[in-house]
Amino acid sequence: MTPLPIARWFGLLLAPALISTAGAEPVDIRQGDSNGSGYGFRRGDNCLVVTAGHVVAETGTDITVTDRQGGKATGQRIYYNPSRTEDLALIELPARSVVACNDRWPDASEVAPAAAAPNAPFEVVRHYPGGRETIVRLRAAGGTSQWHTLAFEDKLRIIQSDSGSIVRSNGRFAGIVVSVREADDRVDVLRFDVIDRLVGDRFRTAVRGVPVALEGVKQRGRVNPNWTTYVASWLSESAGRPVVPQQDASARCRIGVDVIEWARSRVDNPEYEKLESALRACTQGVSIGGVPLGLKLPGTDRASCQRQVREQMRGVPRVLPSHKLTLNVTMTPRQRAPVSKLQTTEHVEDGSKGGARAETELTVLQQSFAQVAGELFSAGACE
């Protein structure tokens, strides 16, 4: 199955069933020209919104989240998986934002991994400003270990802005809307047990540590908002330091980051070099059992050995992108002098992983900051 993002209106809203569900936490999500839906879950003082990855696919563009009563906040993307098999994102809203967000993430025992029974009932709640809602009713029509495939029960259809909406079945979370297939008029839903496996621990792990204020990630004196988002994500999710606005009095310290230099190059891929050695061994007539490097190839003749090694080499890059970053991280406690650390770190990309270059580089930046900031935190620079 290859799900595609919802791209058009699939039907007029005919005889909508309007309801009001006080416990629901659906939200409207806008990023640039993209408009979708999501669902907010409480995590400590923060709200994390689950939605489809393609709803917030832009890098460095503000994300606006609005609840049913008009409460609005600007959030940041802290998890993004744009793959066709998952298509999932998490948006973090500022602490104590006005957006309604009270539901808790379900316990592991409440997340059912079983496939839906044929014709099992499902529903999507579509919300409107002022608290009005309408239900789109669906039924199970197949699926996989990743997806529920749903069919419509009546003339009411999923629309573009429903992408990312929470889907329920028998009162439990079943997944989120990801796409509608035009060919057979079916809805693809990323299953909630898959979502839980990917991000559930983020909700069940309590936020620890003390709040910090991030002054931003700068290069040549200018703040890069996209880089700042990724650094803030590491602080809140990995370091357990809630990020608050700079003027927030609860901040234990202020953190500033300067990217002094970012050198990009390429290095030889050791996996490719292993395969080259194996190919030379094949050419020299060395038996498969005698080929070094732990390669396991069927067959013993020279031609078969060469053919199979070359086949493996097709999917292995000869060189890998490498990054050398020099960062200066400064932590300024409330009642002490600032502490700075200048450090150069090197990262070689994993050739087995795909992904857009921009996303990969942001991950590298996050890893570099984590090394430097981790050492400062360990030394008590922010206490």
Side-chain angles (χ1 to χ4, degrees):
M1 179 184 64
T2 305
L4 299 174
I6 297 174
R8 51 171 286 189
W9 188 295
F10 281 92
L12 297 176
L13 302 182
L14 301 178
L18 295 177
I19 62 171
S20 177
T21 308
E25 305 288 354
V27 293
D28 175 82
I29 300 170
R30 295 181 183 271
Q31 186 190 49
D33 295 330
S34 178
N35 177 211
S37 299
Y39 200 89
F41 292 91
R42 172 63 51 186
R43 181 177 185 268
D45 289 334
N46 295 82
C47 181
L48 301 188
V49 178
V50 178
T51 188
H54 69 264
V55 172
V56 290
E58 295 185 35
T59 299
T61 303
D62 285 346
I63 300 170
T64 302
V65 176
T66 309
D67 66 19
R68 293 176 299 153
Q69 304 300 328
K72 185 178 295 185
T74 299
Q76 61 182 13
R77 195 178 67 189
I78 62 169
Y79 177 88
Y80 179 56
N81 190 331
S83 69
R84 291 177 180 268
T85 57
E86 286 160 357
D87 196 4
L88 177 66
L90 278 184
I91 303 165
E92 183 177 49
L93 301 183
R96 299 178 290 279
S97 73
V98 297
V99 172
C101 186
N102 298 303
D103 269 10
R104 66 172 181 82
W105 191 262
D107 294 333
S109 60
E110 299 176 83
V111 179
N119 295 316
F122 288 79
E123 65 180 33
V124 175
V125 178
R126 180 183 299 140
H127 79 282
Y128 302 93
R132 295 184 305 122
E133 296 177 340
T134 185
I135 296 179
V136 181
R137 294 183 173 85
L138 308 106
R139 56 180 171 79
T144 69
S145 60
Q146 296 278 114
W147 305 91
H148 292 302
T149 300
L150 307 181
F152 296 104
E153 280 283 28
D154 49 40
K155 294 182 180 181
L156 197 61
R157 291 294 188 264
I158 295 296
I159 60 177
Q160 180 178 354
S161 59
D162 291 327
S163 196
S165 293
I166 203 77
V167 181
R168 295 175 183 267
S169 180
N170 295 318
R172 302 176 71 174
F173 298 121
I176 60 170
V177 174
V178 170
S179 65
V180 174
R181 288 188 266 125
E182 297 185 54
D184 52 5
D185 204 18
R186 292 291 187 267
V187 179
D188 290 325
V189 171
L190 181 63
R191 285 170 41 161
F192 200 83
D193 58 302
V194 176
I195 298 172
D196 182 74
R197 187 173 69 245
L198 294 170
V199 300
D201 286 346
R202 293 172 179 251
F203 294 90
R204 297 190 183 102
T205 303
V207 178
R208 60 196 186 284
V210 295
V212 297
L214 181 60
E215 296 177 339
V217 181
K218 300 178 182 178
Q219 186 177 44
R220 300 185 182 92
R222 300 183 63 180
V223 174
N224 185 309
N226 201 26
W227 294 358
T228 301
T229 294
Y230 268 67
V231 166
S233 173
W234 182 85
L235 285 168
S236 61
E237 292 299 321
S238 298
R241 312 266 178 164
V243 178
V244 297
Q246 292 188 46
Q247 64 273 20
D248 194 318
S250 68
R252 183 64 59 88
C253 73
R254 302 192 316 276
I255 300 176
V257 186
D258 286 291
V259 178
I260 307 301
E261 183 182 14
W262 192 333
R264 299 167 177 83
S265 61
R266 292 183 178 274
V267 299
D268 293 333
N269 185 354
E271 294 303 317
Y272 192 88
E273 291 179 343
K274 286 182 181 181
L275 291 171
E276 284 186 317
S277 297
L279 185 61
R280 286 194 296 271
C282 292
T283 303
Q284 295 165 6
V286 178
S287 67
I288 294 301
V291 174
L293 313 170
L295 290 173
K296 297 180 180 180
L297 297 172
T300 56
D301 64 280
R302 183 181 303 179
S304 175
C305 177
Q306 292 174 331
R307 182 173 61 254
Q308 292 173 72
V309 172
R310 288 194 177 100
E311 181 66 27
Q312 290 189 45
M313 293 174 76
R314 291 179 183 176
V316 178
R318 183 185 295 272
V319 295
L320 297 173
S322 176
H323 304 260
K324 181 184 289 187
L325 275 74
T326 301
L327 300 180
N328 187 56
V329 178
T330 302
M331 296 186 179
T332 307
R334 286 186 294 191
Q335 298 179 351
R336 282 179 30 211
V339 179
S340 295
K341 186 174 184 63
L342 179 68
Q343 183 168 305
T344 298
T345 57
E346 295 186 53
H347 302 272
V348 177
E349 293 181 25
D350 184 347
S352 65
K353 296 180 181 179
R357 176 180 173 181
E359 293 292 337
T360 300
E361 292 187 345
L362 287 167
T363 301
V364 168
L365 171 67
Q366 190 182 62
Q367 292 171 345
S368 296
F369 172 77
Q371 291 187 27
V372 184
E375 294 178 11
L376 286 171
F377 281 135
S378 297
C382 197
E383 302 304 324

